[in-house]
Amino acid sequence: MESVDAILALAALSQATRLDVFRLLVKHEPGGLPAGDIAKTLAVPANTMSAHLAVLTRAGLVSPRRHGRSIVYRADLDRLRTVMLFLLRDCCGGRPEICSALMADLDPCCPSPASVEGPIS
Amino acid sequence: MESVDAILALAALSQATRLDVFRLLVKHEPGGLPAGDIAKTLAVPANTMSAHLAVLTRAGLVSPRRHGRSIVYRADLDRLRTVMLFLLRDCCGGRPEICSALMADLDPCCPSPASVEGPIS
DNA sequence: TCTATGATTCTATTATTCTGGAATTATGGA
DNA sequence: TCCATAATTCCAGAATAATAGAATCATAGA
């Protein structure tokens, strides 16, 4: 990932409404949510929300798919992972001891990978 | 970490010059770098750089310490870790299967923790 | 085809951020 | 005290982002 892409993603998430949108969409994975529902849930006018969704889409953090009359948005977790990798690499750059401290601290947020190797229910 | 703090940090990093500053300071851990050297290295006027450093400082991503006539800035990796944890938790929120996929992909960026348990040279 | 609904685009207004010249503050040395 | 250096603060102009009313576009159903 290039700096310019990372900056786009960071900028997209550094705005309260858009961060809320992204969190909402993560909560609604993998089904996604229509633009109208997102706007209603967060109490933002439809056109304003549309502008925010466009920013998130340009940043690659969400993706739209038409479904009948609605346009359903989904969070792109892969993109978030890429952004986080970019940040981590910046820190690691020749300094593995820093990175592993980060990793160790990140771990408790999740169960060990071994425990989730089965199919996702 | 509260949303407002995360937004502050994300906004701070979502600007080319400031992202460069942060990367430069990470590279210069743990010694840090005086404001003037940062400005010179990145070819940015001193007062402009001062404004950017203030933004990064307010976001908690760097911290200044006077050293004689200079003010030496250091990257705060702990803060970066906190921001990344915030983002991860947003994704995990009741969905460990998503998070562990993220973790698994983050791993290759670093050597295994076991290999860095010795003192940092 | 006509209508209603969901969503976006157009446009203008307001607010915020970025930038750098000039002035100011803080420190160390002569 | 006086000067030079390092850095910040003050300020204003330019650029960018956020917001929302009105108009437009796309689809589904009658």
Side-chain angles (χ1 to χ4, degrees), chain A residues 11 14 18 42 57 66 69 89 107 113:
Chain A
S14 69
R18 288 195 298 262
L42 300 181
T57 302
R66 183 172 282 278
R69 241 176 301 208
R89 288 232 175 79
D107 245 330

Side-chain angles (χ1 to χ4, degrees), chain A residues 3 11 14 23 26-27 29 77 80-81 90-91 95 97-100 102-103 105 107 110-111 116 120, chain B residues 3 11 14 23 26-27 29 77 80-81 90-91 95-100 102-103 105 107 110 116 120:
Chain A
S3 285
S14 69
R23 290 206 266 194
V26 167
K27 231 171 45 185
E29 271 299 281
L77 294 166
L80 182 68
R81 176 180 57 75
D90 268 14
C91 294
R95 304 181 160 270
E97 77 277 8
I98 292 171
C99 177
S100 55
L102 271 170
M103 291 294 298
D105 282 346
D107 245 330
C110 316
V116 289
I120 294 166
Chain B
S3 285
S14 68
R23 290 206 266 195
V26 166
K27 229 170 46 183
E29 272 297 283
L77 294 166
L80 182 69
R81 177 180 57 74
D90 268 13
C91 295
R95 302 180 160 272
E97 78 279 7
I98 292 171
C99 177
S100 55
L102 272 170
M103 291 294 299
D105 281 345
D107 246 331
C110 315
V116 289
I120 293 165

Side-chain angles (χ1 to χ4, degrees), chain A residues 67-87:
Chain A
H67 225 264
R69 241 176 301 208
S70 327
I71 294 183
V72 174
Y73 282 85
R74 282 193 56 188
D76 189 332
L77 294 166
D78 203 59
R79 187 68 165 187
L80 182 68
R81 176 180 57 75
T82 306
V83 173
M84 292 185 49
L85 260 180
F86 176 90
L87 288 178

